[in-house]
Amino acid sequence: KSGFDVVLAQMGWNVSFTQQIGLARGAATMQEKDWGIFIAWKYQTAPYLANGTEIYDQMRYAYQCGAKYLVVFNYYDGQSGAYGSMQPEHFQALETFWRDVIKNPDEKQGSIKADSALVLPQNYGWGGRWAEDKIWGIFKADNQTIQIWNLMEAALREHGLQTDIVYADAGSKLDAYQNIYNSSNLP
């Protein structure tokens, strides 16, 4: 709604991969936009990035979930390496991904489709990183926040990468989902 052409989810910092996929794909679906992932640091010190196997898996699953863009963040302060924070294993992961996924006719972009949606309350600015994360970065989590967290965890546990996370909105396109987890109906 703010005019961007693509929705990107940040992977790293030990956030839930499945949740981030659900948020990005859900937002992109509601706004009819392309989406992708931005793989950032997992650690604040070397080696910074996740290992090559984990990055390969993130790219493959994102691609299977329909991601059009895959970006690896490759910078750190005081760079001393020739390739930023990327190590040989990361380049190997990129090469393997290209060969085994992109060039493989048996791998289909978007083969993992969302059949479930968690619907967040309209204009509910919750961080969603943990059960008691702040609302709008200012307000303490309340009972509704904890209930939404529990509902989100249940949906992701049951449907995994087939879950989109969207906001209740007049323009919400929920007809495509078989399972709706509506957080507005919580007591």
Side-chain angles (χ1 to χ4, degrees):
K1 287 187 174 182
S2 61
F4 291 97
D5 294 327
V6 65
V7 176
L8 292 173
Q10 180 177 328
M11 304 298 164
W13 302 115
N14 295 311
V15 296
S16 166
F17 179 80
T18 306
Q19 178 190 0
Q20 295 301 313
I21 291 290
L23 285 163
R25 183 179 54 200
T29 298
M30 293 298 117
Q31 302 304 317
E32 298 176 343
K33 303 287 184 184
D34 291 328
W35 69 279
I37 64 169
F38 182 89
I39 300 172
W41 294 350
K42 183 174 182 175
Y43 313 104
Q44 292 185 351
T45 58
Y48 300 103
L49 294 169
N51 67 46
T53 301
E54 188 175 346
I55 286 177
Y56 169 83
D57 288 343
Q58 289 176 342
M59 291 187 301
R60 182 171 181 235
Y61 285 126
Y63 180 82
Q64 291 172 337
C65 288
K68 184 174 181 179
Y69 300 97
L70 304 167
V71 179
V72 178
F73 182 70
N74 187 31
Y75 171 82
Y76 64 96
D77 239 355
Q79 290 184 347
S80 58
Y83 305 109
S85 53
M86 290 181 69
Q87 302 299 314
E89 69 178 309
H90 300 121
F91 291 104
Q92 183 62 51
L94 292 171
E95 184 178 319
T96 302
F97 175 75
W98 183 259
R99 182 188 65 239
D100 294 354
V101 177
I102 300 297
K103 292 295 187 181
N104 183 348
D106 294 331
E107 288 279 353
K108 303 291 182 211
Q109 183 182 23
S111 61
I112 299 175
K113 306 230 182 278
D115 65 2
S116 303
L118 168 67
V119 183
L120 301 173
Q122 188 172 11
N123 301 321
Y124 194 70
W126 169 56
R129 296 165 292 193
W130 53 84
E132 296 184 7
D133 203 355
K134 292 186 177 190
I135 303 165
W136 292 109
I138 302 170
F139 306 107
K140 283 185 164 187
D142 55 19
N143 188 48
Q144 181 183 24
T145 305
I146 294 166
Q147 288 180 328
I148 292 171
W149 172 265
N150 291 336
L151 186 61
M152 179 179 68
E153 289 294 298
L156 292 172
R157 194 172 34 257
E158 184 162 344
H159 303 284
L161 290 171
Q162 294 174 300
T163 307
D164 281 353
I165 301 172
V166 301
Y167 279 93
D169 190 6
S172 294
K173 301 164 183 70
L174 300 176
D175 295 344
Y177 300 106
Q178 295 171 4
N179 308 294
I180 305 290
Y181 294 81
N182 193 338
S183 64
S184 298
N185 296 337
L186 294 171

Coordinates of all heavy atoms in Angstrom, one line a residue, residues 7-25 35-43 48-50 54-63 65 67 69-74 161:
V7 N 8.1 -7.2 -1.7 CA 8.2 -7.4 -0.3 C 9.3 -8.3 0.0 O 9.5 -9.3 -0.6 CB 6.8 -8.0 0.2 CG1 6.9 -8.3 1.7 CG2 5.6 -7.2 -0.2
L8 N 10.2 -7.8 0.9 CA 11.4 -8.7 1.3 C 11.3 -9.0 2.8 O 10.9 -8.2 3.6 CB 12.7 -7.9 1.1 CG 13.0 -7.7 -0.4 CD1 14.3 -6.8 -0.5 CD2 13.3 -9.0 -1.1
A9 N 11.6 -10.2 3.1 CA 11.7 -10.7 4.5 C 13.1 -10.9 4.9 O 13.9 -11.4 4.1 CB 10.9 -12.0 4.7
Q10 N 13.5 -10.4 6.1 CA 14.9 -10.6 6.5 C 15.0 -11.9 7.3 O 14.4 -12.1 8.2 CB 15.3 -9.4 7.4 CG 16.7 -9.5 7.9 CD 17.1 -8.3 8.7 OE1 16.6 -7.2 8.5 NE2 18.0 -8.6 9.7
M11 N 16.0 -12.7 6.8 CA 16.3 -13.9 7.5 C 17.6 -13.7 8.2 O 18.5 -13.0 7.7 CB 16.5 -15.1 6.5 CG 15.4 -15.3 5.6 SD 13.9 -15.8 6.5 CE 12.7 -15.5 5.3
G12 N 17.8 -14.3 9.4 CA 18.9 -14.1 10.2 C 18.5 -13.7 11.6 O 17.4 -13.7 11.9
W13 N 19.5 -13.4 12.4 CA 19.3 -13.0 13.8 C 18.5 -14.0 14.5 O 17.8 -13.7 15.5 CB 18.6 -11.6 13.9 CG 19.4 -10.5 13.3 CD1 19.0 -9.8 12.2 CD2 20.7 -10.1 13.6 NE1 20.0 -8.9 11.9 CE2 21.0 -9.0 12.7 CE3 21.6 -10.4 14.6 CZ2 22.2 -8.4 12.8 CZ3 22.8 -9.7 14.6 CH2 23.1 -8.7 13.7
N14 N 18.5 -15.2 14.0 CA 17.8 -16.4 14.7 C 16.3 -16.2 14.7 O 15.6 -16.7 15.7 CB 18.4 -16.7 16.0 CG 19.8 -17.2 15.9 OD1 20.1 -18.0 15.1 ND2 20.7 -16.5 16.7
V15 N 15.7 -15.4 13.8 CA 14.2 -15.3 13.8 C 13.7 -16.6 13.1 O 14.4 -17.3 12.3 CB 13.8 -14.0 13.0 CG1 14.2 -12.8 13.8 CG2 14.2 -14.0 11.6
S16 N 12.4 -16.8 13.2 CA 11.7 -18.0 12.6 C 11.7 -17.8 11.1 O 11.0 -16.9 10.6 CB 10.3 -18.1 13.2 OG 9.6 -19.0 12.4
F17 N 12.3 -18.7 10.4 CA 12.3 -18.7 8.9 C 10.8 -18.9 8.4 O 10.4 -18.2 7.6 CB 13.2 -19.9 8.4 CG 13.2 -20.0 6.9 CD1 14.0 -19.2 6.2 CD2 12.4 -20.9 6.3 CE1 14.0 -19.3 4.8 CE2 12.4 -21.1 4.9 CZ 13.2 -20.2 4.2
T18 N 10.1 -19.9 9.0 CA 8.7 -20.1 8.6 C 7.8 -18.9 8.8 O 7.0 -18.6 7.9 CB 8.2 -21.3 9.4 OG1 9.1 -22.4 9.2 CG2 6.8 -21.8 8.9
Q19 N 8.0 -18.2 9.9 CA 7.2 -17.0 10.2 C 7.5 -15.9 9.2 O 6.6 -15.3 8.7 CB 7.5 -16.5 11.6 CG 6.7 -15.3 12.0 CD 7.2 -14.7 13.3 OE1 8.1 -15.2 14.0 NE2 6.6 -13.6 13.7
Q20 N 8.8 -15.7 8.9 CA 9.2 -14.7 8.0 C 8.7 -15.0 6.6 O 8.2 -14.0 5.9 CB 10.7 -14.5 8.0 CG 11.3 -14.0 9.3 CD 10.7 -12.7 9.7 OE1 10.6 -11.7 9.0 NE2 10.3 -12.6 11.0
I21 N 8.7 -16.2 6.2 CA 8.1 -16.6 4.9 C 6.6 -16.3 4.9 O 6.1 -15.7 3.9 CB 8.4 -18.1 4.5 CG1 9.9 -18.4 4.3 CG2 7.5 -18.5 3.4 CD1 10.4 -17.8 3.0
G22 N 5.9 -16.6 5.9 CA 4.5 -16.4 6.0 C 4.2 -14.9 6.0 O 3.2 -14.5 5.3
L23 N 5.0 -14.1 6.6 CA 4.8 -12.6 6.6 C 5.0 -12.0 5.2 O 4.2 -11.3 4.7 CB 5.7 -11.9 7.6 CG 5.3 -12.1 9.1 CD1 6.4 -11.7 10.0 CD2 4.0 -11.2 9.4
A24 N 6.1 -12.4 4.6 CA 6.5 -11.8 3.3 C 5.5 -12.3 2.2 O 5.0 -11.5 1.4 CB 7.9 -12.2 2.9
R25 N 5.3 -13.6 2.1 CA 4.4 -14.1 1.1 C 3.0 -13.7 1.3 O 2.3 -13.3 0.4 CB 4.5 -15.7 1.0 CG 3.6 -16.3 -0.1 CD 3.7 -17.8 -0.1 NE 3.4 -18.3 1.1 CZ 3.7 -19.6 1.5 NH1 4.4 -20.3 0.7 NH2 3.4 -20.0 2.7
W35 N 7.8 -11.1 -4.1 CA 8.5 -11.1 -2.8 C 9.7 -11.9 -2.9 O 10.0 -12.6 -3.8 CB 7.5 -11.6 -1.8 CG 7.2 -13.1 -1.9 CD1 6.3 -13.7 -2.7 CD2 7.8 -14.1 -1.1 NE1 6.3 -15.0 -2.6 CE2 7.2 -15.3 -1.6 CE3 8.8 -14.2 -0.2 CZ2 7.6 -16.6 -1.1 CZ3 9.2 -15.4 0.3 CH2 8.6 -16.6 -0.1
G36 N 10.5 -11.8 -1.8 CA 11.7 -12.5 -1.7 C 12.3 -12.4 -0.3 O 11.7 -11.9 0.6
I37 N 13.5 -13.0 -0.1 CA 14.2 -13.0 1.2 C 15.5 -12.3 1.1 O 16.1 -12.2 0.0 CB 14.3 -14.4 1.8 CG1 15.3 -15.3 0.9 CG2 13.0 -15.1 2.0 CD1 15.7 -16.6 1.6
F38 N 15.9 -11.7 2.2 CA 17.1 -11.0 2.4 C 17.8 -11.7 3.5 O 17.4 -11.7 4.7 CB 16.8 -9.5 2.7 CG 18.0 -8.7 2.9 CD1 18.5 -8.0 1.8 CD2 18.6 -8.5 4.1 CE1 19.6 -7.1 2.0 CE2 19.7 -7.7 4.3 CZ 20.2 -7.0 3.2
I39 N 18.9 -12.5 3.2 CA 19.6 -13.3 4.2 C 20.6 -12.4 4.8 O 21.6 -11.9 4.2 CB 20.2 -14.5 3.6 CG1 19.1 -15.4 2.9 CG2 21.0 -15.3 4.6 CD1 19.7 -16.6 2.1
A40 N 20.4 -12.1 6.1 CA 21.3 -11.2 6.8 C 22.1 -12.0 7.8 O 22.0 -13.2 7.9 CB 20.5 -10.1 7.5
W41 N 22.9 -11.3 8.7 CA 23.7 -12.0 9.7 C 22.9 -12.8 10.6 O 21.8 -12.4 11.0 CB 24.4 -10.9 10.5 CG 25.5 -10.1 9.8 CD1 25.9 -10.3 8.5 CD2 26.1 -9.0 10.3 NE1 26.9 -9.4 8.2 CE2 27.0 -8.6 9.3 CE3 26.1 -8.3 11.5 CZ2 27.8 -7.5 9.5 CZ3 26.9 -7.2 11.6 CH2 27.8 -6.8 10.6
K42 N 23.5 -13.9 11.0 CA 22.9 -14.7 12.1 C 23.6 -14.4 13.4 O 23.0 -14.5 14.5 CB 23.1 -16.2 11.8 CG 22.4 -17.1 12.8 CD 22.5 -18.6 12.3 CE 21.8 -19.5 13.3 NZ 21.8 -20.9 12.8
Y43 N 24.8 -13.9 13.3 CA 25.6 -13.6 14.5 C 26.2 -12.2 14.4 O 26.4 -11.7 13.3 CB 26.8 -14.6 14.6 CG 26.4 -16.0 14.4 CD1 26.7 -16.7 13.2 CD2 25.8 -16.7 15.4 CE1 26.4 -18.0 13.0 CE2 25.5 -18.1 15.2 CZ 25.7 -18.7 14.0 OH 25.4 -20.0 13.8
Y48 N 29.4 -14.3 11.2 CA 28.3 -13.4 10.8 C 27.2 -14.2 10.2 O 26.1 -14.3 10.7 CB 28.8 -12.3 9.9 CG 29.8 -11.4 10.5 CD1 31.2 -11.5 10.2 CD2 29.5 -10.5 11.5 CE1 32.1 -10.7 10.8 CE2 30.4 -9.7 12.1 CZ 31.7 -9.8 11.8 OH 32.7 -9.0 12.3
L49 N 27.4 -14.7 9.0 CA 26.3 -15.5 8.3 C 26.2 -16.9 8.8 O 27.1 -17.5 9.4 CB 26.7 -15.5 6.8 CG 26.7 -14.2 6.1 CD1 27.2 -14.3 4.7 CD2 25.2 -13.6 6.0
A50 N 25.0 -17.4 8.6 CA 24.8 -18.9 8.9 C 25.7 -19.7 8.0 O 26.3 -19.1 7.0 CB 23.3 -19.2 8.6
E54 N 22.8 -24.0 5.7 CA 21.6 -23.3 6.2 C 21.2 -22.3 5.1 O 20.0 -22.1 4.9 CB 21.9 -22.7 7.5 CG 20.6 -22.1 8.1 CD 20.8 -21.6 9.6 OE1 21.9 -21.9 10.2 OE2 19.9 -20.9 10.0
I55 N 22.1 -21.6 4.6 CA 21.8 -20.6 3.6 C 21.2 -21.2 2.3 O 20.2 -20.7 1.7 CB 23.0 -19.7 3.3 CG1 23.2 -18.7 4.4 CG2 22.8 -18.9 2.0 CD1 24.4 -17.8 4.3
Y56 N 21.8 -22.3 1.9 CA 21.2 -23.1 0.7 C 19.8 -23.5 1.0 O 18.9 -23.3 0.2 CB 22.1 -24.3 0.5 CG 21.4 -25.3 -0.5 CD1 21.6 -25.0 -1.9 CD2 20.7 -26.4 -0.1 CE1 20.9 -25.9 -2.8 CE2 20.1 -27.2 -1.0 CZ 20.2 -27.0 -2.3 OH 19.6 -27.8 -3.2
D57 N 19.6 -24.1 2.2 CA 18.2 -24.5 2.6 C 17.2 -23.3 2.6 O 16.1 -23.4 2.1 CB 18.2 -25.2 3.9 CG 18.8 -26.6 3.9 OD1 19.0 -27.1 2.8 OD2 19.2 -27.1 5.0
Q58 N 17.6 -22.2 3.1 CA 16.8 -21.0 3.1 C 16.4 -20.6 1.7 O 15.3 -20.3 1.4 CB 17.4 -19.9 3.9 CG 17.5 -20.1 5.4 CD 18.3 -19.0 6.1 OE1 19.0 -18.2 5.5 NE2 18.1 -18.9 7.4
M59 N 17.4 -20.5 0.8 CA 17.1 -20.1 -0.5 C 16.2 -21.1 -1.2 O 15.3 -20.7 -1.9 CB 18.5 -20.0 -1.3 CG 19.3 -18.8 -0.9 SD 20.8 -18.5 -1.9 CE 21.7 -20.1 -1.7
R60 N 16.5 -22.4 -1.0 CA 15.7 -23.4 -1.7 C 14.2 -23.4 -1.2 O 13.3 -23.4 -2.0 CB 16.3 -24.8 -1.4 CG 15.5 -25.9 -2.1 CD 16.2 -27.2 -2.1 NE 15.5 -28.2 -2.7 CZ 15.1 -29.4 -2.2 NH1 15.4 -29.7 -0.9 NH2 14.4 -30.3 -2.9
Y61 N 14.0 -23.3 0.1 CA 12.7 -23.3 0.6 C 11.9 -22.0 0.2 O 10.7 -22.1 -0.1 CB 12.6 -23.5 2.1 CG 12.9 -24.9 2.6 CD1 13.9 -25.2 3.5 CD2 12.1 -26.0 2.1 CE1 14.1 -26.5 3.9 CE2 12.4 -27.3 2.5 CZ 13.4 -27.5 3.4 OH 13.6 -28.8 3.8
A62 N 12.6 -20.9 0.2 CA 12.0 -19.6 -0.2 C 11.6 -19.7 -1.7 O 10.5 -19.3 -2.0 CB 13.0 -18.5 0.0
Y63 N 12.5 -20.3 -2.5 CA 12.2 -20.5 -3.9 C 10.9 -21.4 -4.1 O 10.0 -21.1 -4.9 CB 13.4 -21.1 -4.6 CG 13.2 -21.3 -6.1 CD1 13.4 -20.3 -7.0 CD2 12.9 -22.6 -6.6 CE1 13.3 -20.5 -8.4 CE2 12.8 -22.8 -7.9 CZ 12.9 -21.8 -8.8 OH 12.8 -22.0 -10.2
C65 N 8.6 -21.8 -2.0 CA 7.4 -21.1 -1.5 C 7.0 -19.9 -2.5 O 6.0 -19.2 -2.2 CB 7.7 -20.5 -0.1 SG 7.7 -21.8 1.1
A67 N 9.3 -17.3 -3.7 CA 10.2 -16.1 -3.7 C 10.8 -15.9 -5.1 O 11.3 -16.8 -5.7 CB 11.3 -16.3 -2.7
Y69 N 13.0 -13.1 -5.4 CA 14.3 -12.5 -5.1 C 14.9 -13.2 -3.9 O 14.3 -13.5 -2.9 CB 14.0 -11.0 -4.7 CG 13.4 -10.2 -5.9 CD1 12.0 -10.0 -5.9 CD2 14.2 -9.7 -6.9 CE1 11.5 -9.3 -6.9 CE2 13.6 -9.0 -7.9 CZ 12.3 -8.8 -7.9 OH 11.7 -8.1 -9.0
L70 N 16.2 -13.4 -4.0 CA 17.1 -14.0 -3.0 C 18.3 -13.1 -2.9 O 19.1 -13.0 -3.8 CB 17.4 -15.4 -3.3 CG 16.2 -16.4 -3.6 CD1 16.7 -17.7 -4.3 CD2 15.5 -16.6 -2.4
V71 N 18.5 -12.5 -1.7 CA 19.6 -11.6 -1.5 C 20.4 -12.0 -0.3 O 19.9 -12.4 0.7 CB 19.1 -10.1 -1.3 CG1 20.2 -9.2 -1.1 CG2 18.2 -9.7 -2.4
V72 N 21.8 -12.0 -0.5 CA 22.6 -12.3 0.7 C 23.4 -11.1 1.1 O 24.1 -10.5 0.2 CB 23.6 -13.5 0.3 CG1 24.6 -13.7 1.5 CG2 22.9 -14.7 -0.1
F73 N 23.2 -10.7 2.3 CA 23.9 -9.5 2.8 C 25.4 -9.8 3.1 O 25.7 -10.7 3.8 CB 23.2 -9.1 4.2 CG 23.8 -7.8 4.8 CD1 23.6 -6.6 4.2 CD2 24.5 -7.9 5.9 CE1 24.1 -5.4 4.8 CE2 25.1 -6.8 6.5 CZ 24.9 -5.5 5.9
N74 N 26.3 -9.1 2.4 CA 27.7 -9.4 2.4 C 28.5 -8.2 2.9 O 29.4 -7.8 2.1 CB 28.1 -9.9 1.1 CG 29.5 -10.4 1.1 OD1 30.0 -10.9 2.1 ND2 30.2 -10.3 0.0
L161 N 5.3 -24.1 6.3 CA 5.5 -23.2 5.2 C 4.3 -23.0 4.3 O 4.3 -22.2 3.4 CB 6.7 -23.7 4.3 CG 8.0 -23.6 4.9 CD1 9.1 -24.3 4.1 CD2 8.4 -22.1 5.2

